[in-house]
């Protein structure tokens, strides 16, 4: 199973953003970002789309899903 919180944190850190900076840039509360990254709660699909759009990546990339050349999910 994927560690969604770890993937969300990884994407944020790739952009060299603090949780507070990401919250200000997206309008998502820092408390929500923290809870998601700590796997306390899962973000709903609307927030996932918002974050993927902000980072300019796919939803699969946002949550850490990777695929082989033949299309099989490698996780």
């Amino acid at each position: 199973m994927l560690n969604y919180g770890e993937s969300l944190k990884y994407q944020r850190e790739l952009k060299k953003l603090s949780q507070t900076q990401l919250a200000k840039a997206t309008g998502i509360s820092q408390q929500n970002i923290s809870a998601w990254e700590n796997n306390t709660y899962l973000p709903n699909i609307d927030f996932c789309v918002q974050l993927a759009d902000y980072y300019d990546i796919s939803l699969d990339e946002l949550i850490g899903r990777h695929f082989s050349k033949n299309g099989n999910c490698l996780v």
Side-chain angles (χ1 to χ4, degrees), residues 7-55:
S7 296
L8 293 171
K9 184 177 181 178
Y10 173 78
Q11 292 299 331
R12 178 179 56 78
E13 290 179 340
L14 269 181
K15 299 290 186 182
K16 301 189 185 323
L17 295 169
S18 68
Q19 289 180 353
T20 301
Q21 290 169 318
L22 179 60
K24 286 181 183 177
T26 62
I28 298 170
S29 76
Q30 186 273 327
Q31 291 81 4
N32 278 347
I33 294 167
S34 176
W36 300 336
E37 290 184 3
N38 289 308
N39 291 305
T40 305
Y41 298 105
L42 290 175
N44 70 33
I45 191 67
D46 293 327
F47 285 125
C48 289
V49 169
Q50 185 178 355
L51 288 172
D53 287 348
Y54 177 78
Y55 294 136

